């Protein structure tokens, strides 16, 4: 990892359990239900940057099986404490430890925000590599910054890339997703940060 990413991971390491408590009841439940309908009942999906397991229960509750991981060692320790029987592992999502076409959905809220803008398409190509079909769900801080400081309590000030709704739509379409829908939402913690979220469908190859 480069120094900037290492510093960001260290911030999340230091507050892993607090972060789970802060976020576990503030998840995008309506988006998860839409994602589950698009993936199909009992589909295996990939939670690419799950932190301390904030969405393990959410994805299970909407009828999915999820493999969840994160680059933060402390976050994964907390996730394994709360979900000892979960499909949990530590990884860097820029080089996922899976063969091609393993999952029927990619769940990636706030997953790509800690990369510089120029590195986001390559990470998405890695997501697409392991995705056999189904939906992708992404969210970013809304804006036009490239690794600027934003508030992410309880972690504090973290470096994050923000994008506009138009940019997210264009990104999803460029990666080959169809039926793309994008919207802006307020931060569920009440802080003055808006988020842009997008969902699209990866077409499967014809038989």
């Amino acid at each position: 990892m480069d120094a900037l990413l290492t510093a960001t991971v260290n911030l999340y390491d230091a507050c892993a359990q607090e972060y789970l408590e802060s976020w576990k009841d503030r998840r995008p439940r309506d988006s998860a239900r839409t994602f589950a309908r698009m993936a199909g009942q009992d589909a295996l999906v990939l939670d690419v940057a799950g932190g301390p397991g904030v969405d393990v229960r959410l994805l299970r509750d909407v009828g999915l099986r999820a493999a969840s991981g994160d680059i933060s060692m402390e976050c994964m320790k907390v996730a394994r404490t709360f979900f000892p029987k979960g499909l949990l592992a530590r990884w860097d999502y820029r080089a996922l430890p899976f063969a091609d076409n393993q999952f029927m959905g990619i769940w990636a809220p706030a997953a790509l925000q800690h990369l510089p803008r120029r590195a986001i398409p390559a990470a998405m190509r890695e997501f697409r590599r392991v995705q056999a079909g189904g939906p992708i769900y992404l969210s970013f801080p809304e804006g036009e910054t490239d690794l600027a400081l934003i508030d992410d309590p309880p972690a504090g000030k973290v470096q994050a890339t923000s994008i506009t709704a138009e940019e997210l739509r264009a990104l999803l379409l460029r990666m080959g997703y169809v039926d793309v829908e994008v919207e802006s939402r307020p931060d569920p913690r009440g802080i003055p940060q808006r988020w842009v979220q997008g969902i699209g469908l990866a077409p499967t190859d014809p038989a």
Side-chain angles (χ1 to χ4, degrees):
M1 290 189 291
D2 61 38
L4 182 58
L5 184 56
T6 297
T8 300
V9 171
N10 288 342
L11 288 172
Y12 290 107
D13 277 345
C15 68
Q17 187 154 340
E18 288 178 84
Y19 203 81
L20 176 63
E21 294 300 324
S22 176
W23 272 109
K24 67 180 182 179
D25 296 322
R26 295 186 171 102
R27 306 311 296 151
R29 297 182 184 281
D30 57 337
S31 298
R33 288 191 289 269
T34 299
F35 180 83
R37 285 196 299 271
M38 295 170 73
Q41 181 69 27
D42 204 38
L44 178 63
V45 302
L46 184 64
D47 180 13
V48 296
V54 290
D55 287 335
V56 172
R57 181 173 286 118
L58 172 64
L59 294 171
R60 182 199 64 192
D61 288 350
V62 295
L64 299 171
R65 294 177 295 128
S68 180
D70 199 272
I71 199 170
S72 164
M73 180 71 77
E74 291 303 317
C75 281
M76 293 316 302
K77 286 180 181 178
V78 170
R80 291 188 187 107
T81 298
F82 280 87
F83 306 103
K85 296 182 180 180
L87 300 173
L88 303 171
R90 183 171 181 252
W91 58 60
D92 183 336
Y93 61 53
R94 295 170 297 180
L96 289 163
F98 302 106
D100 296 355
N101 303 319
Q102 295 297 299
F103 300 95
M104 286 305 297
I106 302 291
W107 181 257
L112 294 166
Q113 64 180 9
H114 301 301
L115 297 180
R117 184 174 263 95
R118 68 180 182 277
I120 290 171
M124 286 193 66
R125 285 192 288 273
E126 178 67 355
F127 297 173
R128 188 67 185 89
R129 179 185 69 79
V130 302
Q131 185 178 11
I136 187 170
Y137 173 81
L138 299 171
S139 67
F140 287 85
E142 186 172 17
E144 299 180 272
T145 63
D146 197 352
L147 291 181
L149 287 172
I150 67 166
D151 285 316
D152 191 13
K157 296 278 189 181
V158 299
Q159 295 275 357
T161 293
S162 62
I163 69 174
T164 65
E166 294 78 10
E167 189 178 2
L168 180 54
R169 181 184 300 278
L171 179 64
L172 286 164
L173 291 172
R174 188 162 74 246
M175 291 296 151
Y177 292 96
V178 300
D179 299 334
V180 171
E181 296 185 7
V182 175
E183 66 175 303
S184 172
R185 290 189 172 187
D187 190 287
R189 297 163 294 183
I191 64 176
Q193 169 67 60
R194 293 190 67 84
W195 291 80
V196 59
Q197 64 174 35
I199 195 164
L201 188 65
T204 55
D205 294 330

